Amino acid sequence: MLEKYDVIVIGSGPAGYVAAIRAAQLGMSVACIEKWRTPEGKGVNGGTCLNVGCIPSKALLDSSQRYYETKKGLAIHGISASGIAIDIPAMMQRKTKIVSQLTGGIEQLFKVNGVDGLFGTGKLLVGHNVEFTSHEGITAVLKADHVILAAGSLPIEIPVAPVDGRLIVDSTGALDLDSVPKRLGVIGAGVIGLELGSVWGRLGSKVVLLEAMNEFLPIMDSGIAKETHKIFKKQGLDVRLGARVIGTELRADEVHVRYTSADQSEHSEIFDKLIVCVGRKPFTDGLLADGAGIELDSRGAIIVNAQCETNIPRVYAVGDVVRGPMLAHKGSEEGVMVAERIAGHSAQINYEIVPNVIYTHPEVASVGRTEEQVKEAGEPYRVGTFPFAASGRALAANDSDGMVKLIANADTDRILGCHIVGPSAADLVQQVAIAMEFGSSSEDLGMTVFGHPTLSETVHEAALAVNGHAIHKVNRKVR
Ligand code: FAD
Ligand code: AMP
């Protein structure tokens, strides 16, 4: 540990650890302070994403999908299997092993890049001093030329469903259940609620999602949201829209939940477990000393400009603790941008092209603007769609629910957005993100040669459909 660093980063989630590594690569002396501890009390890097977010949720989504497919999806291929069982502790152990492998990997990356990883709490003092209190309770004041705040976010709690860790859990608890609940309630049918509901639903829980909004996935393109809702309904997922939870009561081993429906009538349900997934809030508790002078907005997020500069010169904030979508990759790109700008480069982020994924089955993914946003902006546009039901690859895989929707400017043909529900939507949408980053038109995508048979041919056909040239479907007339 030095007395003074070029850069001190507080928080080692995907925003902070990436900023620290990039700053070190650029030749700066860097410390990254992290307060997270494993249940055994050991300091650990990686933040929400690696410890209780993206990675463990995907580990469980993959395990549960394999189980579900083996139980329900083999007969159509002519395969029969019996005695299929799920060992929850083994599934959890696999998840924990992946998490440790990746968090340990950050420690290695810090070592090879020369980042001082410090386990303990960091607090920004007045000026560019940072108080570091190690997990052992030793305090030191470190000086820095630049400070990057990357303190992340926490699950939002609602008074009507206080998390007790036993019957009512948040997303963290939902990644660690020790058995499959028979009846599972989920408050909030947003990204995290849908993913966690899917995990336990595939393993055998009867899942009910209670969602206060009347519309399903209102942040998504409405055409894709409707298609997604239809697919989930067909799968038997019980999503109750307009269902606002107004009270919960713990009785022995059950949670009794009261909610109102859209017509304001009152209903109740009994669950063995209830997961609260009503969103996340920026986390700054203990991060800023009185008088540090950093401005927060009404949500408690640190106010930054497009370059992630706070109101105090040479203090930056990145990731979930600032405005914008709470996504790991958005924070990482901000971390890289800030490190590079500190080094004198002119890095910036194209916030218009940040992919967003829901890892259900099928996946739901989007990039760029929705049709509603384009319409509202008054921009002339054309839409091309293509169903997975017309994809040879999707049919061969018995995975043909969903569609691709591509939106392009009607005058310039420049791609404005792409929205997909279907197999491997996350990876397919990334292809369009790259095209958009290069300023591609739908014609450019249409002229690109796609391998056959691939799922990505659906993107190709949607691009052709924008101008009425799709081959494997009936085209709309294009003026
Ligand atoms: P965090 O990852 O929250 O890290 C912040 C770190 O700062 C923490 O480790 C915290 O301990 C530390 N810290 C805070 N204050 C201090 C302090 N004073 N001193 C020292 N350390 C401090 N995003 C995706 O893009 N894709 C997904 O598939 C995805 N899935 C998710 C699934 C779940 C269940 C959840 C909960 C989230 C998911 N997310 C996903 C969101 C993603 O995890 C976050 O957007 C991402 O972790 C934010 O990164 P961050 O670095 O800003 O903050
Ligand atoms: P997200 O922000 O994507 O994680 O989604 C959280 C969801 O929880 C939002 O769609 C909210 O409408 C929903 N929500 C918040 N409070 C309640 C509540 N009391 N009952 C039901 N749903 C809620």
Side-chain angles (χ1 to χ4, degrees), residues 195-456:
E195 289 188 6
L196 295 173
S198 297
V199 166
W200 295 103
R202 290 166 190 173
L203 297 175
S205 293
K206 186 180 173 305
V207 180
V208 177
L209 287 119
L210 301 170
E211 168 55 59
M213 310 276 277
N214 291 323
E215 209 182 320
F216 185 62
L217 290 176
I219 51 156
M220 304 292 296
D221 179 276
S222 74
I224 292 295
K226 279 195 190 99
E227 178 74 13
T228 307
H229 198 188
K230 208 166 78 190
I231 295 169
F232 287 171
K233 268 191 190 155
K234 193 173 89 179
Q235 291 177 354
L237 194 67
D238 187 350
V239 186
R240 301 191 191 162
L241 299 176
R244 176 171 295 280
V245 174
I246 52 168
T248 52
E249 203 184 314
L250 307 185
R251 290 192 209 157
D253 285 337
E254 291 176 337
V255 195
H256 293 238
V257 175
R258 285 184 301 118
Y259 67 94
T260 52
S261 55
D263 61 6
Q264 297 311 315
S265 57
E266 209 175 302
H267 308 261
S268 61
E269 276 289 345
I270 300 173
F271 300 114
D272 302 303
K273 292 270 188 233
L274 180 67
I275 309 177
V276 183
C277 290
V278 293
R280 298 181 63 81
K281 58 178 179 199
F283 176 63
T284 53
D285 290 3
L287 176 71
L288 307 167
D290 290 343
I294 299 287
E295 283 175 6
L296 306 182
D297 69 14
S298 56
R299 288 169 51 247
I302 297 175
I303 297 176
V304 289
N305 61 15
Q307 288 74 42
C308 291
E309 294 163 337
T310 68
N311 59 311
I312 305 281
R314 291 182 288 115
V315 178
Y316 312 82
V318 293
D320 281 10
V321 82
V322 304
R323 82 286 175 264
M326 289 191 171
L327 294 168
H329 44 285
K330 174 261 189 187
S332 297
E333 289 307 314
E334 290 179 333
V336 169
M337 172 178 72
V338 167
E340 295 193 348
R341 292 183 77 86
I342 292 173
H345 299 202
S346 59
Q348 54 184 335
I349 293 175
N350 185 352
Y351 282 105
E352 298 276 302
I353 307 179
V354 178
N356 204 335
V357 181
I358 311 176
Y359 290 87
T360 41
H361 194 92
E363 292 173 351
V364 191
S366 69
V367 68
R369 286 186 280 158
T370 62
E371 185 173 351
E372 292 69 40
Q373 287 168 334
V374 176
K375 203 183 271 175
E376 204 180 299
E379 201 169 328
Y381 68 93
R382 282 186 187 148
V383 171
T385 60
F386 195 77
F388 282 92
S391 153
R393 190 73 195 91
L395 286 168
N398 193 42
D399 207 354
S400 58
D401 280 338
M403 65 188 269
V404 177
K405 173 172 177 178
L406 200 86
I407 306 166
N409 182 293
D411 298 331
T412 64
D413 197 34
R414 196 182 177 115
I415 301 171
L416 304 174
C418 179
H419 310 277
I420 304 180
V421 52
S424 300
D427 294 291
L428 296 183
V429 111
Q430 190 60 46
Q431 303 180 2
V432 181
I434 296 168
M436 287 174 75
E437 196 58 49
F438 284 90
S440 167
S441 62
S442 74
E443 189 184 30
D444 290 330
L445 258 192
M447 287 167 71
T448 305
V449 181
F450 283 72
H452 174 76
T454 57
L455 292 173
S456 57

Side-chain angles (χ1 to χ4, degrees), residues 9-17 32-37 44-58 61 118-124 131-133 135 149-155 171-172 175 191-193 195-196 277 280 283-288 318-322 325-332 334 355-359:
V9 184
I10 304 181
S12 75
Y17 86 75
C32 185
I33 303 175
E34 174 54 63
K35 70 177 189 186
W36 201 294
R37 295 199 217 197
V44 67
N45 291 307
T48 305
C49 168
L50 267 67
N51 291 290
V52 296
C54 320
I55 300 302
S57 59
K58 265 82 256 177
L61 278 159
L118 308 176
F119 289 122
T121 304
K123 180 189 270 186
L124 180 71
E131 181 186 273
F132 166 61
T133 307
H135 284 327
L149 306 170
S153 61
L154 280 185
S171 60
T172 302
L175 293 167
V191 177
I192 298 177
E195 289 188 6
L196 295 173
C277 290
R280 298 181 63 81
F283 176 63
T284 53
D285 290 3
L287 176 71
L288 307 167
V318 293
D320 281 10
V321 82
V322 304
M326 289 191 171
L327 294 168
H329 44 285
K330 174 261 189 187
S332 297
E334 290 179 333
N356 204 335
V357 181
I358 311 176
Y359 290 87

